Every structure is written in structure tokens, then in C-alpha cells.
Amino acid sequence: MTDDTTSEFASDITRRLEAIMMILDEPHSLVSLAAAVGAPVPAVRQAIESLVADYDGMTGGPKRGFELREVGGGWRLYVREEFDDLVSDFVGTQAPSRLSQAALETLAVIAYKQPVTRGQVAAIRAVNVDSVVRTLLSRGLITEVFTDPDTGAIHYGTTDALLVNLGINSLDELPHISPLLDDGADGFAGESIR
Amino acid sequence: MTDDTTSEFASDITRRLEAIMMILDEPHSLVSLAAAVGAPVPAVRQAIESLVADYDGMTGGPKRGFELREVGGGWRLYVREEFDDLVSDFVGTQAPSRLSQAALETLAVIAYKQPVTRGQVAAIRAVNVDSVVRTLLSRGLITEVFTDPDTGAIHYGTTDALLVNLGINSLDELPHISPLLDDGADGFAGESIR
Amino acid sequence: MAPSPEPSSATEAALDSSAGADGGFRVTLDVFDGPFDLLLTLITKRELDITEVSLSEVTNEFIAHVRALGPEHDLDESSQFLVVAATLLDMKVAGLLPQGELVDAESVALLEARDLLFARLLQYRAFKEVSAWFGRSLVREDTRHARTVRLDAKYRDAVPELVWTLSPQDFAALAMLAFAPKEIPHVGLDHLHAPLVSIREQAAVVVTMLRSSGSLNFRELIAGVDQPGIVVARFLSVLELYRHAALSFEQVEPLGELTLRWTAERWSDENLATLGADYDR
């Protein structure tokens, strides 16, 4: 901190961010937040970092009952995990129906192989996946990315909502699976698998 | 009870209160909050007072971008007044003045099928409609009609604002749509479609 | 092909040990004893030669396992087995073929085919394993609470006024569009297949022929048939009829003449209606 003005400016951004966070109902990216508070992205990134530490009780204050989380490519306020049961009891939320094993496997294949057609997914899972794909679409976990102009085959990919539902920030945070999967649906050719 | 235990207990109530406050949509009374956090009313009153002072920057920390205020006999988190213009500007840039195609189609489904749940609309449109329903709600074009006591599913219907926009006096004036569609995949019972 | 009518000793052994420690399918073979999953792991790591594994024994054990669990058992496990069994069979075919030096293109292609099969098996397992992570993460996030509160009226006023251009007729047209059933577009493959042959129809032919002559060999049963599909359907219907104890067969030596004999005590055409229901999908 070079002087008082700098730190006052930083603190001002932080307070503005807190105000905006109050009304967000989905994660917003750094760029979008920077536009909202009228500050450059690096300053906003710094302000977010300071808020995260602040709410986590790392800066001398208490550990708050809420936290700032980065999910699905953006930032958003959440109830801190240890109070989830308390809040669930209060609001009386019902657990949404869980996905079947078939749906989970299909979702995994689409997540790692996107953009991918239903036919390619079916080939990997060795079963028809039409109804499972429909379920995933209506849950907003996957979406149609594009349609091949020649074959008319729809290519599917995952949505930001999936990232939010998984509690991760980008596809890079998916667990690493065997490198043999990296070379795509059509090519194990020649490669000897060890 | 030693002083240490007392203050730890008080701090615990405070964190629980913060967690509940994060998800409150409207002001809640002391009694209701006491029930939510499982603590006696006087302890909750004290915790609220300490939070108000805390957020106002009276306890050594910064003055937050939000504040805890008593309105109409209840407590809730609000954006601190000095950031109202910032938030209004942000909201103004977020909402486009026209509804998207997805929003219009969802609105049409709700208009002809009401009362209808989000899940039913999602099944008809074969996509997730959560964020679109939020937009329509915030635009005042649809409203929550009732909640199914068994399933907890919220049923939506259209508002007078939609009628005004369409220039009609009642839903009966909506053009009939082809009965051919009645036997659609989702089984519209009989002639429930106007 | 000579299926033995009485249960093999391997089947009985599997009945005893069909429930593994985790309740999953367990196999007992000469070269291996343990959960099915481990068998796959060992094979994919090539610590167990696929040519050593008798697929028919594994299959017998699995059928016994499924029978012991009863009809309400998890279809998932059964279908999973089919995927894996098909892969094992493929691997076994590749494994049984002679492996020479890498001299000709054919051998190279063979090795590639074998690796492709290993890769497919590994790939399927990788996705199956990672799907557990998806399940756990989705459940964990389901319990989290993000802040979502209705916008206060004073901020709602800042929202630009809605521009509405639709007439009631436009709106109705939009509704029609939205209600139109959304079939996921499908590229038909029917034109790529030969005409379908019904096992039931062919079974009816087989029943008629056998009942009128009492005993026939398979060669006679397919005399004059020139479509491979019909030959296959007749053979499958023979297997199905055998399952219904409607006929018996004899084969003195492997690949030798197959003699079929009609043995049904009670047979009605109603039996035909459900015959081969397994092939309906």
C-alpha cells in the first residue's frame, strides 16, 4: 500500500462489490463485476480476494456465516457450508430427484468429450442414450452446441449451470481421467495402450 | 457460565443469524429468527444489535456495502443506501428491454397451460426454464398462483400485465390453438388447451 | 456348439459365492477368484491373459448370480455385464488369433484391433468411475444455498420498460410453436439394414416342420433357404424352443451334424407369442 488514497480507493471498490453481491442471483464474472462497480478488472480481482479472506476470518474479523464462492465462471454469495443444515431446516427445501447412474455416466461422457453427438455417446456407453439426453437437457445441464451441416447430427456440450451444480468454476476442474481419453472419439488408432 | 463460554455462545448465534439472513427474502421478526437459529429471543436481539454495529463499521471492521435493518417489525439485509444508485444502474444494464425468444415461448406455454409448474414447462420446451421463469417473474408477466402442499411444486400463471400488453381483457380472448396439438407427447388432458 | 442341459459345477460354485463382499458379482475360475471388477482390472493391466479366461464359465456364473438375486434386481448391473462380456469376447477373439512378428499389415491391424478393444474397455471404465464423482458433487452442491432474493421494488423500477410487439395472434402462433412435440431429431438407419426377420415367424416354421417329421437335422431345417438372416433366425428359434423344453438336440462331435427332436408334451401356439421376447429390443 503506497498511500492512503490507494487503499481508500481499494476499500471503496470492495464496498461497492458487497452492495452488488447482495442482489446477484447468478454467478457474475470478474469482467461483469468490473463493469458493475466501475473499476478495472485487476482492482476488482484484488477486492474479491480481500473479501473472500475477510469473510473467511483471515483478516482479523470473525469467520462469517456466509462466504464468497467462485462457481460456474463467476462469483456469488453462499451460505457457509457448515450452516447448510440449519438453513435447509429453516426453508424446508426438498431434495430434488437424483440423476440415475445411466444419466451420470452419459453426463460424464459429454463433459469430457464435448462437443459430442448422441451417437458417439451411445457408442461409448453401448446403449441408447436418447431419453437420458432429454433428461439432461431439461435439467439444463447440457445444451445443443451446434448441428453438423452435412450430417444434421446435433453436438452436445455442458452448460455453466452444470459447473454451478458441480460446485466448480471451469471444466479444467473436472477430475483428470486417463490420458488415453484425450485423443478424441475417433482415434485410438495405432496407439498402444499401457 | 464463564465469560468466555458466554461470548462464544453469542458469537455462534451471530454466525447462524448471518447464514439465515443470506437467504431471507423479506423481513423476519425476532421470534421467527429465534426459532430459526434455535436460541432465546434476548440472545438473538443481542446478536442482531452486534451485527448491526458490525456492518456499520462500529466494531473495528469496515462499514459494509450492506446493512441489517428493521423494517415493518422484522429484520433483513439491505443494500446500504449510499449504493442504491450503483445497484439501480447495474440492474438497468442487466435487463434488456425486449424478451428473448426463449422467454416469449415459455410465457406462451404458461399462458395456455396455467397453472403450470416449472418442471412441466421444461418438459414441454425440452430445455431448462429456471432463469427464464425468473425473468418473467421479475417482469411481472407471471406470478406464483399456488404451491402444491404435497410436492411443494410452485404453480405459475399469467398476470393482468400480460393481458394489458396483449391488449385483451381476459384469457378467454386468447386465440384458440389447434386441437391437433392436444395429443402431444406430454399428454395434455382432454381439451385443457384453450 | 453343445450347450449342456444340466448345470455345470462352476454354476453351483458361483451360487455359493455369488455375493461378493460388496454384494457385487463374484467369479470363481481356475485362474482367478474374486470380484468381477477386479477381473477386469487385471485383464486390462494384462496380468491375466484373456485367453485363460473362459467366457462361458463367467457367463454361466453371471446367469446364476442374476437368478439368485431374483427378477427385481438392478437392471444396471445386468446390462453392464453385457457391455463387458461383449468386450471380453472381442478381446478373446483377438487374443486367440495367432500373434506373429510384426511383419505384415494384417498382424499390425490385428494388434491395433486388440488395443482398440482394450482402449474401449478402459474408456468405459474411466467414465463409469468418474460418474461417481459427478454423483457426489451434484449431491453436495444440492445442499448448498446461494443467495437468491427478489429484487427490491426500488431497483425493479430501474429496469427499462418492456418493449412488447406481439399481437394475440402472434402470441398464439408462438404457443403452437412451443407446444409442437420436440422429437430429438434422429437420423434413420433403417435403410442400412437388411429386411427384418422375425424369430417368431421362423419358430413357427421350425415347429411345423419338426412336429410333422418328429426328427430333423439342422441342415434339413434350413434346406432351400438362401437368406443368412433366416438361417440365423431359425437357429435362434431352435435355441429358444430348447429353452422352452420343446425340443432336444444331439451333436455327436463338435461342428458335426445337429439332430433335432420334437419333445414337447404340451405345446400351444400361445407359446409362440412370447417366444424370443428377449430379442424384441
Side-chain angles (χ1 to χ4, degrees), chain A residues 128, chain C residues 276-281:
Chain A
N128 183 293
Chain C
D278 295 351
Y279 298 100
D280 281 351
R281 277 201 50 89

Side-chain angles (χ1 to χ4, degrees), chain B residues 22 25 76 84 97 139 165, chain C residues 147 150 154-155 160 163:
Chain B
M22 261 303 114
D25 235 345
R76 212 197 82 183
D84 273 355
S97 58
R139 282 297 188 170
N165 277 314
Chain C
R147 180 172 168 86
R150 227 167 303 161
K154 61 178 168 185
Y155 304 129
V163 177

Side-chain angles (χ1 to χ4, degrees), chain B residues 121-187:
Chain B
V121 180
I124 292 167
R125 300 218 45 242
V127 291
N128 183 278
V129 295
D130 290 0
S131 86
V132 163
V133 164
R134 266 208 307 270
T135 303
L136 295 173
L137 277 172
S138 76
R139 282 297 188 170
L141 295 168
I142 62 171
T143 183
E144 298 175 3
V145 182
F146 66 91
T147 302
D148 188 302
D150 294 330
T151 64
I154 301 169
H155 288 67
Y156 297 91
T158 53
T159 61
D160 288 350
L162 174 68
L163 300 182
V164 171
N165 277 314
L166 285 170
I168 57 179
N169 291 313
S170 89
L171 288 172
D172 296 339
E173 292 176 38
L174 276 179
H176 289 238
I177 63 175
S178 165
L180 279 178
L181 295 174
D182 282 12
D183 54 359
D186 302 284

Side-chain angles (χ1 to χ4, degrees), chain A residues 17-41:
Chain A
L17 264 179
E18 276 186 319
I20 294 289
M21 285 293 172
M22 275 293 113
I23 58 123
L24 293 188
D25 58 7
E26 49 192 34
H28 277 247
S29 69
L30 275 181
V31 174
S32 158
L33 292 172
V37 301
V41 169

Side-chain angles (χ1 to χ4, degrees), chain B:
Chain B
M1 236 191 237
T2 68
D3 276 358
D4 257 9
T5 348
T6 317
S7 82
E8 246 171 56
F9 179 64
S11 144
D12 188 47
I13 296 178
T14 314
R15 293 317 130 215
R16 287 152 84 82
L17 260 180
E18 275 188 318
I20 295 288
M21 286 296 175
M22 261 303 114
I23 53 108
L24 283 191
D25 235 345
E26 39 196 52
H28 274 60
S29 70
L30 271 182
V31 176
S32 156
L33 291 171
V37 300
V41 169
V44 172
R45 178 179 293 120
Q46 212 172 10
I48 289 201
E49 277 166 18
S50 79
L51 272 184
V52 170
D54 182 354
Y55 295 165
D56 285 352
M58 314 297 280
T59 58
K63 187 160 99 177
R64 301 282 163 188
F66 47 84
E67 60 181 334
L68 194 53
R69 268 193 2 227
E70 186 177 21
V71 175
W75 293 89
R76 212 197 82 183
L77 284 173
Y78 291 88
V79 172
R80 194 171 289 281
E81 211 164 346
E82 63 194 271
F83 298 110
D84 273 355
D85 290 345
L86 180 81
V87 170
S88 290
D89 287 351
F90 174 70
V91 167
T93 60
Q94 289 295 298
S97 58
R98 283 166 196 275
L99 291 177
S100 66
Q101 179 75 11
L104 285 171
E105 282 188 29
T106 300
L107 181 59
V109 170
I110 294 174
Y112 278 90
K113 285 272 288 175
Q114 60 186 307
V116 65
T117 67
R118 254 181 316 177
Q120 289 165 335
V121 180
I124 292 167
R125 300 218 45 242
V127 291
N128 183 278
V129 295
D130 290 0
S131 86
V132 163
V133 164
R134 266 208 307 270
T135 303
L136 295 173
L137 277 172
S138 76
R139 282 297 188 170
L141 295 168
I142 62 171
T143 183
E144 298 175 3
V145 182
F146 66 91
T147 302
D148 188 302
D150 294 330
T151 64
I154 301 169
H155 288 67
Y156 297 91
T158 53
T159 61
D160 288 350
L162 174 68
L163 300 182
V164 171
N165 277 314
L166 285 170
I168 57 179
N169 291 313
S170 89
L171 288 172
D172 296 339
E173 292 176 38
L174 276 179
H176 289 238
I177 63 175
S178 165
L180 279 178
L181 295 174
D182 282 12
D183 54 359
D186 302 284
F188 312 126
E191 311 85 303
S192 63
I193 299 211
R194 248 175 286 267

